Every structure is written in C-alpha cells, then in structure tokens.
Amino acid sequence: PNGAEHLLGEAFSTSAPPLLRVRAVGADIVETAEIVRNGRFVYTHSPNSRDFQFEFRDSTPLDQPAYYYVRLRQKNGHLAWSSPIWITPR
C-alpha cells in the first residue's frame, strides 16, 4: 500500500511519489551521495561527513517502471553503491 516502507532490493508498486530515506556510513568522509533513477542522476547530496542521512522525494511522475539506487563518492576517491529498488507505477 502507499506509505509502506521498503528495503533495498525490493520490488513494489505505488501510485505515490517515491520517498527515499538514505542513511549511510562511509569508510572515509563522503563528499557526495547521488540518487540514480533509471541510470540518470536525479539528486545530489553533499554531506561531507562519514555518517549521515537525508530524504529525497522524486516529484517526477512515474509513468513507467523505474529503479533507484544511491552512489557514494568518498574523499579518498572510492565509490560505493547501494542495491537498487524497483518501482512499478499503479
């Protein structure tokens, strides 16, 4: 149902704009945390911290299935990716 919470790796359907809640802990200072939708960057957060959290609501209407994941870029140059979530519009 709309308003339900889902974890990384899940597939679900919704008619509500997706709200992504991100919490991450890097091995080094995380310079950027980027939300990727269907292979395109749609939001960048610059925490400049090892431990952080933020929320992103995608206001772009879902007119076809979409996947989202988070990519972190650390100060030491290393990258990290989350598992994706897959969303089908209702």
Side-chain angles (χ1 to χ4, degrees), residues 16-70:
L19 173 65
L20 284 72
R21 291 187 178 115
V22 177
R23 181 171 191 285
V25 179
D28 195 358
I29 300 295
V30 176
E31 293 182 327
T32 59
E34 299 162 312
I35 303 285
V36 180
R37 174 185 174 175
N38 294 343
R40 300 186 70 191
F41 295 101
V42 294
Y43 181 75
T44 300
H45 179 71
S46 301
N48 290 311
S49 174
R50 281 189 64 228
D51 186 348
F52 63 93
Q53 57 189 19
F54 68 94
E55 292 184 352
F56 168 73
R57 182 172 304 275
D58 191 351
S59 60
T60 304
L62 284 178
D63 56 359
Q64 62 183 359
Y67 66 90
Y68 293 83
Y69 66 88
V70 179

